[in-house]
Amino acid sequence: MRFETDVRESTLVTFAAGEVKGSGTVLFAGAGEDGNTLVVCDSTPVHPVSFRWPDQPADRGTMTGADGVSHPVVDALTGMANSETGELVLGEDARALGRTGDEWKSVVVHVVSGAKPAIGSAVSIEVDADYRRKLSVAHTAAHLSAFALNRASKAYWTKDGAAVDGLGSPDLDKEAIVSASLSENVSVDTYRVGKTLRKKGFELDRFIADLPGVIAAANETLKGWLSAPGAISLTPVPSTLDARRLWQCSLDGQDAQMYCAGTHVADLADLAEVSVLIEPAESGFVMHTKAAGR
C-alpha cells in the first residue's frame, strides 16, 4: 500500500519507557482495509508490529479525539515514510524497499476502527495495559531463555568461531535463530543449524541427543536468575521508532545485552517464573518459553 502524505520524520515513541498513555498530533489519516482508518501521529505510546522481524504483535488500545469520542486501535503497523517526498509505504511495499537510505523514516501507523481524524488535530492514545504487560513478560522471558540456551549449549561447540554473548557463551541464539513469535506470556523461537554453523563447530546431533540435560540446565539457570531482583533497561528513551534500542540486564553480576525493538518488564522481580522446552525440528530445534508475571 502506498499513500501521499506530509509525513517527514520518524514517529516519537514512548513504549520503550513502559508508557501506555500518550498524546499526539495527527499527521496523516487515510482509508485502510476492512473499513478501518490508518492514522500517523507525531508521537505515540503504541508499539507496532515490524515487517522486518514480526516477533511481537502490535499493541491494542484506543484513540480519542478532541470531541471526546474514543475509537479502538485494532492494530499498529510499521510504515516507511520518505522524508523528501512524503510517500508512505506499508506491508509488502515496505518490505520490498529492502535496505533504505537516510531519506526513509520508520513511522507507527495506527489501524483505527472509526471516523477519520482531521490532519493537525490532537488525539490521546491509550494502550491496553494488561495485553502489553503479557507481551512484555513474554519478550523479556525470551531474552533470558536465549542467554540460558547459550550457556546450556556451550559443551556442544568444538571450535571458537561463533559470536559470543555478553555472558561469555557462544551465541547459539544469534547464530541459529530464523524466526520468533510472541504471544501472551509465551514465546516460540525456531533455530536452524546448517552447514555454516556446523563448520563453526556446533554439534547438533550430540545436542539433540542430550536434550533432557540441556533443558534441565537451562531451566536451572533461569531459576537462579529469577531468585534475585535486577533492573532491566531499554535505551534510549524516549526516542524515535528509527532508533536502535539496547536491552540490558545484570545476570550473575555480568551485563547481558542485545538490541531489541520490543517492550519489556522493568525488573526481573516482575517475573514469577520462566521455563523452556526444546524440541527437535528439521535441521535444528524449536524452543518454547513459558513465563508468568507478578
Side-chain angles (χ1 to χ4, degrees), residues 53 55-56 136-150 165 167 171 173 177 180 182 187 189 191 222 225 232-234 245-249 251 256-264 268 271 274 276 287 289:
W53 187 257
D55 58 338
Q56 181 168 335
S136 296
V137 165
H139 209 148
T140 302
H143 287 351
L144 295 178
S145 65
F147 282 105
L149 169 68
N150 291 345
D165 69 20
L167 303 183
D171 200 340
D173 175 73
I177 194 166
L182 298 169
S187 70
D189 298 297
Y191 299 87
L222 289 166
W225 286 342
I232 296 168
S233 65
L234 192 64
R245 281 172 286 278
L246 185 67
W247 179 90
Q248 293 178 287
C249 179
L251 300 173
Q257 56 181 254
M258 65 174 68
Y259 286 101
C260 181
T263 67
H264 296 276
L268 291 176
L271 300 173
V274 178
V276 300
M287 181 166 68
T289 302

Short mmCIF file of all heavy atoms in Angstrom, two decimals, residues 53 55-56 136-150 165 167 171 173 177 180 182 187 189 191 222 225 232-234 245-249 251 256-264 268 271 274 276 287 289:
data_model
loop_
_atom_site.label_atom_id
_atom_site.label_comp_id
_atom_site.label_asym_id
_atom_site.label_seq_id
_atom_site.Cartn_x
_atom_site.Cartn_y
_atom_site.Cartn_z
N TRP A 53 10.99 -8.02 11.28
CA TRP A 53 11.11 -9.11 12.26
C TRP A 53 9.84 -9.08 13.12
O TRP A 53 9.83 -8.54 14.21
CB TRP A 53 12.37 -8.94 13.10
CG TRP A 53 12.69 -10.09 14.01
CD1 TRP A 53 12.48 -10.14 15.36
CD2 TRP A 53 13.27 -11.35 13.65
NE1 TRP A 53 12.89 -11.35 15.87
CE2 TRP A 53 13.38 -12.11 14.84
CE3 TRP A 53 13.70 -11.91 12.45
CZ2 TRP A 53 13.91 -13.41 14.86
CZ3 TRP A 53 14.22 -13.20 12.46
CH2 TRP A 53 14.33 -13.93 13.65
N ASP A 55 8.14 -10.41 15.42
CA ASP A 55 8.02 -11.32 16.56
C ASP A 55 6.96 -10.86 17.55
O ASP A 55 6.18 -11.66 18.05
CB ASP A 55 9.37 -11.51 17.25
CG ASP A 55 10.00 -10.22 17.73
OD1 ASP A 55 9.65 -9.14 17.21
OD2 ASP A 55 10.86 -10.29 18.63
N GLN A 56 6.93 -9.56 17.87
CA GLN A 56 5.97 -9.07 18.86
C GLN A 56 4.76 -8.46 18.17
O GLN A 56 4.90 -7.54 17.36
CB GLN A 56 6.62 -8.03 19.78
CG GLN A 56 5.65 -7.51 20.84
CD GLN A 56 6.34 -6.70 21.94
OE1 GLN A 56 7.52 -6.87 22.20
NE2 GLN A 56 5.58 -5.83 22.59
N SER A 136 5.11 -8.07 27.15
CA SER A 136 6.40 -7.66 27.72
C SER A 136 7.01 -8.79 28.55
O SER A 136 8.22 -9.02 28.52
CB SER A 136 6.23 -6.40 28.57
OG SER A 136 5.81 -5.31 27.79
N VAL A 137 6.18 -9.48 29.31
CA VAL A 137 6.64 -10.65 30.07
C VAL A 137 7.23 -11.69 29.12
O VAL A 137 8.31 -12.23 29.34
CB VAL A 137 5.49 -11.25 30.90
CG1 VAL A 137 5.84 -12.65 31.39
CG2 VAL A 137 5.16 -10.35 32.08
N ALA A 138 6.50 -11.96 28.03
CA ALA A 138 6.97 -12.95 27.07
C ALA A 138 8.28 -12.53 26.41
O ALA A 138 9.18 -13.36 26.21
CB ALA A 138 5.89 -13.17 26.00
N HIS A 139 8.40 -11.23 26.08
CA HIS A 139 9.60 -10.79 25.36
C HIS A 139 10.83 -10.80 26.29
O HIS A 139 11.91 -11.23 25.88
CB HIS A 139 9.38 -9.38 24.80
CG HIS A 139 10.17 -9.13 23.56
ND1 HIS A 139 9.76 -8.32 22.55
CD2 HIS A 139 11.38 -9.61 23.15
CE1 HIS A 139 10.65 -8.30 21.58
NE2 HIS A 139 11.65 -9.08 21.93
N THR A 140 10.65 -10.37 27.52
CA THR A 140 11.77 -10.43 28.46
C THR A 140 12.18 -11.87 28.73
O THR A 140 13.38 -12.19 28.75
CB THR A 140 11.40 -9.74 29.78
OG1 THR A 140 11.02 -8.38 29.52
CG2 THR A 140 12.57 -9.75 30.75
N ALA A 141 11.20 -12.74 28.90
CA ALA A 141 11.49 -14.15 29.13
C ALA A 141 12.23 -14.76 27.94
O ALA A 141 13.13 -15.60 28.11
CB ALA A 141 10.20 -14.92 29.40
N ALA A 142 11.88 -14.34 26.73
CA ALA A 142 12.55 -14.85 25.54
C ALA A 142 14.03 -14.49 25.53
O ALA A 142 14.88 -15.30 25.14
CB ALA A 142 11.87 -14.31 24.28
N HIS A 143 14.35 -13.27 25.97
CA HIS A 143 15.77 -12.88 26.04
C HIS A 143 16.50 -13.69 27.10
O HIS A 143 17.63 -14.15 26.87
CB HIS A 143 15.89 -11.39 26.35
CG HIS A 143 15.53 -10.50 25.19
ND1 HIS A 143 15.31 -10.97 23.93
CD2 HIS A 143 15.36 -9.14 25.12
CE1 HIS A 143 15.02 -9.96 23.12
NE2 HIS A 143 15.05 -8.85 23.82
N LEU A 144 15.87 -13.88 28.26
CA LEU A 144 16.51 -14.67 29.31
C LEU A 144 16.73 -16.11 28.85
O LEU A 144 17.80 -16.69 29.10
CB LEU A 144 15.64 -14.65 30.57
CG LEU A 144 15.47 -13.29 31.26
CD1 LEU A 144 14.54 -13.44 32.45
CD2 LEU A 144 16.81 -12.72 31.69
N SER A 145 15.75 -16.68 28.17
CA SER A 145 15.89 -18.06 27.72
C SER A 145 16.97 -18.18 26.64
O SER A 145 17.65 -19.22 26.55
CB SER A 145 14.56 -18.61 27.21
OG SER A 145 14.11 -17.94 26.06
N ALA A 146 17.16 -17.13 25.85
CA ALA A 146 18.23 -17.15 24.85
C ALA A 146 19.60 -17.23 25.52
O ALA A 146 20.47 -18.01 25.11
CB ALA A 146 18.15 -15.91 23.97
N PHE A 147 19.80 -16.42 26.56
CA PHE A 147 21.07 -16.48 27.30
C PHE A 147 21.23 -17.83 28.01
O PHE A 147 22.34 -18.37 28.08
CB PHE A 147 21.16 -15.33 28.30
CG PHE A 147 21.52 -14.01 27.68
CD1 PHE A 147 20.57 -13.02 27.50
CD2 PHE A 147 22.82 -13.74 27.27
CE1 PHE A 147 20.89 -11.80 26.92
CE2 PHE A 147 23.16 -12.53 26.68
CZ PHE A 147 22.19 -11.56 26.51
N ALA A 148 20.13 -18.36 28.54
CA ALA A 148 20.20 -19.67 29.21
C ALA A 148 20.51 -20.78 28.21
O ALA A 148 21.26 -21.71 28.51
CB ALA A 148 18.88 -19.95 29.93
N LEU A 149 19.93 -20.68 27.02
CA LEU A 149 20.24 -21.65 25.95
C LEU A 149 21.71 -21.60 25.59
O LEU A 149 22.37 -22.64 25.45
CB LEU A 149 19.39 -21.34 24.71
CG LEU A 149 19.77 -22.10 23.43
CD1 LEU A 149 19.47 -23.57 23.56
CD2 LEU A 149 19.04 -21.50 22.23
N ASN A 150 22.23 -20.40 25.43
CA ASN A 150 23.65 -20.26 25.08
C ASN A 150 24.55 -20.92 26.12
O ASN A 150 25.52 -21.62 25.78
CB ASN A 150 24.01 -18.78 24.96
CG ASN A 150 23.38 -18.12 23.75
OD1 ASN A 150 22.89 -18.79 22.85
ND2 ASN A 150 23.39 -16.80 23.73
N ASP A 165 28.12 -14.17 23.43
CA ASP A 165 27.16 -13.26 24.04
C ASP A 165 27.78 -12.49 25.21
O ASP A 165 28.96 -12.69 25.55
CB ASP A 165 25.89 -14.01 24.48
CG ASP A 165 26.10 -14.96 25.66
OD1 ASP A 165 27.08 -14.81 26.40
OD2 ASP A 165 25.23 -15.85 25.85
N LEU A 167 27.56 -12.76 28.26
CA LEU A 167 27.93 -13.55 29.43
C LEU A 167 29.09 -14.50 29.14
O LEU A 167 29.46 -15.32 29.97
CB LEU A 167 26.72 -14.34 29.94
CG LEU A 167 25.48 -13.52 30.32
CD1 LEU A 167 24.39 -14.42 30.86
CD2 LEU A 167 25.83 -12.42 31.31
N ASP A 171 27.24 -17.69 21.14
CA ASP A 171 25.89 -17.16 20.98
C ASP A 171 25.08 -17.99 19.98
O ASP A 171 24.83 -17.58 18.85
CB ASP A 171 25.96 -15.70 20.53
CG ASP A 171 24.67 -14.96 20.82
OD1 ASP A 171 23.63 -15.61 21.01
OD2 ASP A 171 24.72 -13.71 20.87
N ASP A 173 21.96 -18.61 20.05
CA ASP A 173 20.73 -17.90 19.71
C ASP A 173 20.93 -16.97 18.52
O ASP A 173 20.18 -17.02 17.55
CB ASP A 173 20.25 -17.11 20.93
CG ASP A 173 19.04 -16.24 20.62
OD1 ASP A 173 17.94 -16.79 20.45
OD2 ASP A 173 19.21 -15.01 20.52
N ILE A 177 19.08 -18.56 15.10
CA ILE A 177 17.65 -18.25 15.08
C ILE A 177 17.20 -17.81 13.69
O ILE A 177 17.88 -17.06 13.01
CB ILE A 177 17.31 -17.17 16.14
CG1 ILE A 177 15.79 -17.11 16.34
CG2 ILE A 177 17.88 -15.82 15.75
CD1 ILE A 177 15.40 -16.34 17.59
N ALA A 180 10.93 -15.94 15.25
CA ALA A 180 10.48 -15.82 16.63
C ALA A 180 9.04 -15.35 16.63
O ALA A 180 8.63 -14.57 15.78
CB ALA A 180 11.36 -14.84 17.41
N LEU A 182 5.88 -14.18 19.48
CA LEU A 182 5.46 -13.90 20.84
C LEU A 182 3.95 -13.85 20.93
O LEU A 182 3.27 -13.36 20.02
CB LEU A 182 6.02 -12.56 21.32
CG LEU A 182 7.53 -12.40 21.40
CD1 LEU A 182 7.89 -10.93 21.61
CD2 LEU A 182 8.10 -13.24 22.52
N SER A 187 6.68 -17.45 24.25
CA SER A 187 7.48 -17.18 23.05
C SER A 187 7.90 -18.50 22.42
O SER A 187 8.09 -19.50 23.12
CB SER A 187 8.71 -16.33 23.38
OG SER A 187 9.66 -17.09 24.11
N ASP A 189 10.74 -19.81 19.57
CA ASP A 189 11.90 -19.46 18.75
C ASP A 189 12.35 -20.69 17.96
O ASP A 189 12.52 -21.77 18.52
CB ASP A 189 13.04 -18.97 19.64
CG ASP A 189 12.68 -17.72 20.41
OD1 ASP A 189 12.42 -16.70 19.77
OD2 ASP A 189 12.62 -17.78 21.66
N TYR A 191 15.16 -22.43 15.43
CA TYR A 191 16.59 -22.38 15.12
C TYR A 191 16.93 -23.38 14.02
O TYR A 191 16.43 -24.50 14.01
CB TYR A 191 17.42 -22.70 16.36
CG TYR A 191 17.20 -21.73 17.50
CD1 TYR A 191 16.17 -21.94 18.42
CD2 TYR A 191 18.02 -20.63 17.66
CE1 TYR A 191 15.96 -21.05 19.47
CE2 TYR A 191 17.82 -19.74 18.71
CZ TYR A 191 16.79 -19.95 19.61
OH TYR A 191 16.59 -19.07 20.62
N LEU A 222 17.74 -20.34 34.59
CA LEU A 222 16.64 -19.37 34.65
C LEU A 222 16.12 -19.22 36.08
O LEU A 222 15.85 -18.10 36.54
CB LEU A 222 15.50 -19.81 33.73
CG LEU A 222 15.80 -19.70 32.23
CD1 LEU A 222 14.77 -20.47 31.42
CD2 LEU A 222 15.83 -18.24 31.79
N TRP A 225 18.49 -17.01 38.01
CA TRP A 225 18.42 -15.60 37.64
C TRP A 225 17.20 -14.92 38.25
O TRP A 225 17.26 -13.74 38.61
CB TRP A 225 18.40 -15.46 36.12
CG TRP A 225 19.74 -15.72 35.49
CD1 TRP A 225 20.96 -15.72 36.11
CD2 TRP A 225 19.99 -16.05 34.12
NE1 TRP A 225 21.95 -16.01 35.22
CE2 TRP A 225 21.40 -16.21 33.98
CE3 TRP A 225 19.19 -16.22 33.00
CZ2 TRP A 225 22.00 -16.53 32.76
CZ3 TRP A 225 19.78 -16.54 31.78
CH2 TRP A 225 21.17 -16.69 31.67
N ILE A 232 15.94 -3.96 34.53
CA ILE A 232 16.01 -4.19 33.10
C ILE A 232 15.79 -2.85 32.41
O ILE A 232 14.86 -2.12 32.75
CB ILE A 232 14.94 -5.19 32.64
CG1 ILE A 232 15.20 -6.56 33.27
CG2 ILE A 232 14.91 -5.30 31.11
CD1 ILE A 232 14.06 -7.54 33.11
N SER A 233 16.65 -2.51 31.47
CA SER A 233 16.51 -1.22 30.79
C SER A 233 16.46 -1.42 29.29
O SER A 233 16.96 -2.40 28.74
CB SER A 233 17.68 -0.29 31.14
OG SER A 233 18.90 -0.82 30.64
N LEU A 234 15.80 -0.46 28.64
CA LEU A 234 15.74 -0.41 27.19
C LEU A 234 16.02 1.03 26.81
O LEU A 234 15.24 1.93 27.11
CB LEU A 234 14.36 -0.84 26.69
CG LEU A 234 14.19 -1.12 25.20
CD1 LEU A 234 15.06 -2.29 24.77
CD2 LEU A 234 12.73 -1.41 24.86
N ARG A 245 17.48 0.42 19.84
CA ARG A 245 17.39 0.36 21.30
C ARG A 245 18.11 -0.87 21.85
O ARG A 245 18.04 -1.96 21.29
CB ARG A 245 15.93 0.38 21.74
CG ARG A 245 15.32 1.77 21.70
CD ARG A 245 13.84 1.76 21.94
NE ARG A 245 13.11 1.27 20.79
CZ ARG A 245 12.80 2.02 19.74
NH1 ARG A 245 13.16 3.28 19.69
NH2 ARG A 245 12.12 1.50 18.74
N LEU A 246 18.77 -0.67 23.00
CA LEU A 246 19.58 -1.70 23.62
C LEU A 246 18.91 -2.21 24.89
O LEU A 246 18.61 -1.43 25.80
CB LEU A 246 20.97 -1.16 23.96
CG LEU A 246 21.99 -2.17 24.51
CD1 LEU A 246 22.35 -3.20 23.45
CD2 LEU A 246 23.23 -1.45 25.01
N TRP A 247 18.64 -3.52 24.93
CA TRP A 247 18.10 -4.18 26.13
C TRP A 247 19.27 -4.60 27.00
O TRP A 247 20.24 -5.19 26.52
CB TRP A 247 17.30 -5.40 25.70
CG TRP A 247 16.70 -6.21 26.82
CD1 TRP A 247 15.47 -6.04 27.38
CD2 TRP A 247 17.30 -7.33 27.51
NE1 TRP A 247 15.25 -6.98 28.36
CE2 TRP A 247 16.37 -7.78 28.46
CE3 TRP A 247 18.53 -7.98 27.39
CZ2 TRP A 247 16.62 -8.87 29.29
CZ3 TRP A 247 18.79 -9.05 28.23
CH2 TRP A 247 17.85 -9.49 29.17
N GLN A 248 19.18 -4.29 28.31
CA GLN A 248 20.27 -4.61 29.23
C GLN A 248 19.71 -5.14 30.54
O GLN A 248 18.68 -4.66 31.04
CB GLN A 248 21.14 -3.39 29.51
CG GLN A 248 21.94 -2.90 28.31
CD GLN A 248 22.73 -1.65 28.64
OE1 GLN A 248 22.17 -0.57 28.77
NE2 GLN A 248 24.04 -1.80 28.77
N CYS A 249 20.42 -6.13 31.11
CA CYS A 249 20.04 -6.69 32.40
C CYS A 249 21.29 -7.32 33.02
O CYS A 249 22.09 -7.95 32.32
CB CYS A 249 18.95 -7.74 32.22
SG CYS A 249 18.40 -8.53 33.75
N LEU A 251 22.97 -10.17 34.91
CA LEU A 251 22.76 -11.58 35.21
C LEU A 251 24.06 -12.15 35.74
O LEU A 251 25.09 -12.07 35.07
CB LEU A 251 22.32 -12.34 33.95
CG LEU A 251 21.02 -11.87 33.28
CD1 LEU A 251 20.82 -12.61 31.97
CD2 LEU A 251 19.83 -12.07 34.21
N ALA A 256 24.28 -8.46 30.60
CA ALA A 256 23.69 -9.13 29.45
C ALA A 256 22.97 -8.09 28.62
O ALA A 256 22.20 -7.28 29.14
CB ALA A 256 22.71 -10.21 29.92
N GLN A 257 23.21 -8.07 27.32
CA GLN A 257 22.58 -7.08 26.47
C GLN A 257 22.38 -7.60 25.06
O GLN A 257 23.10 -8.48 24.60
CB GLN A 257 23.40 -5.79 26.44
CG GLN A 257 24.83 -5.94 25.99
CD GLN A 257 25.57 -4.62 26.01
OE1 GLN A 257 25.85 -4.05 24.96
NE2 GLN A 257 25.90 -4.14 27.20
N MET A 258 21.37 -7.04 24.41
CA MET A 258 21.13 -7.31 23.00
C MET A 258 20.24 -6.20 22.46
O MET A 258 19.49 -5.55 23.20
CB MET A 258 20.48 -8.68 22.78
CG MET A 258 19.09 -8.85 23.34
SD MET A 258 18.34 -10.44 22.88
CE MET A 258 19.34 -11.61 23.78
N TYR A 259 20.34 -5.94 21.17
CA TYR A 259 19.50 -4.92 20.57
C TYR A 259 18.09 -5.49 20.39
O TYR A 259 17.91 -6.65 20.01
CB TYR A 259 20.07 -4.46 19.23
CG TYR A 259 21.29 -3.59 19.41
CD1 TYR A 259 22.57 -4.11 19.22
CD2 TYR A 259 21.16 -2.26 19.80
CE1 TYR A 259 23.69 -3.31 19.41
CE2 TYR A 259 22.27 -1.46 19.99
CZ TYR A 259 23.54 -1.99 19.79
OH TYR A 259 24.64 -1.21 19.99
N CYS A 260 17.09 -4.67 20.68
CA CYS A 260 15.71 -5.14 20.66
C CYS A 260 14.76 -3.98 20.40
O CYS A 260 14.93 -2.88 20.96
CB CYS A 260 15.36 -5.81 21.98
SG CYS A 260 13.67 -6.44 22.00
N ALA A 261 13.73 -4.22 19.60
CA ALA A 261 12.75 -3.20 19.27
C ALA A 261 11.42 -3.40 19.99
O ALA A 261 10.45 -2.72 19.68
CB ALA A 261 12.52 -3.17 17.76
N GLY A 262 11.38 -4.34 20.94
CA GLY A 262 10.12 -4.66 21.59
C GLY A 262 9.89 -3.95 22.91
O GLY A 262 10.51 -2.93 23.20
N THR A 263 8.99 -4.51 23.72
CA THR A 263 8.70 -3.95 25.05
C THR A 263 9.06 -4.99 26.11
O THR A 263 9.09 -6.19 25.83
CB THR A 263 7.21 -3.57 25.19
OG1 THR A 263 6.41 -4.76 25.15
CG2 THR A 263 6.79 -2.62 24.08
N HIS A 264 9.33 -4.51 27.33
CA HIS A 264 9.82 -5.39 28.39
C HIS A 264 9.33 -4.96 29.75
O HIS A 264 8.91 -3.81 29.95
CB HIS A 264 11.36 -5.40 28.37
CG HIS A 264 11.93 -5.97 27.12
ND1 HIS A 264 12.10 -7.33 26.95
CD2 HIS A 264 12.34 -5.40 25.96
CE1 HIS A 264 12.59 -7.56 25.75
NE2 HIS A 264 12.74 -6.40 25.12
N LEU A 268 13.64 -8.05 36.90
CA LEU A 268 13.49 -9.50 37.00
C LEU A 268 12.45 -9.88 38.03
O LEU A 268 11.79 -10.92 37.91
CB LEU A 268 14.83 -10.14 37.38
CG LEU A 268 15.95 -10.10 36.33
CD1 LEU A 268 17.24 -10.68 36.91
CD2 LEU A 268 15.54 -10.87 35.08
N LEU A 271 8.93 -11.01 37.08
CA LEU A 271 8.72 -12.34 36.53
C LEU A 271 8.64 -13.36 37.66
O LEU A 271 9.57 -13.50 38.44
CB LEU A 271 9.85 -12.72 35.58
CG LEU A 271 10.06 -11.81 34.37
CD1 LEU A 271 11.32 -12.20 33.62
CD2 LEU A 271 8.85 -11.88 33.43
N VAL A 274 9.92 -18.53 34.67
CA VAL A 274 10.28 -18.68 33.26
C VAL A 274 10.82 -20.10 33.08
O VAL A 274 11.68 -20.54 33.85
CB VAL A 274 11.37 -17.67 32.81
CG1 VAL A 274 11.72 -17.92 31.34
CG2 VAL A 274 10.90 -16.24 33.00
N VAL A 276 11.67 -23.34 29.92
CA VAL A 276 11.79 -23.65 28.50
C VAL A 276 11.59 -25.13 28.24
O VAL A 276 11.83 -25.98 29.10
CB VAL A 276 13.17 -23.22 27.93
CG1 VAL A 276 13.38 -21.73 28.10
CG2 VAL A 276 14.30 -24.01 28.57
N MET A 287 12.52 -23.80 20.48
CA MET A 287 12.49 -23.57 21.92
C MET A 287 11.20 -22.83 22.29
O MET A 287 10.90 -21.76 21.75
CB MET A 287 13.70 -22.75 22.38
CG MET A 287 13.71 -22.49 23.88
SD MET A 287 15.32 -21.88 24.50
CE MET A 287 15.37 -20.25 23.72
N THR A 289 9.20 -21.01 25.29
CA THR A 289 9.41 -20.37 26.59
C THR A 289 8.06 -19.96 27.16
O THR A 289 7.28 -19.26 26.51
CB THR A 289 10.30 -19.13 26.48
OG1 THR A 289 11.56 -19.50 25.91
CG2 THR A 289 10.53 -18.51 27.84
#
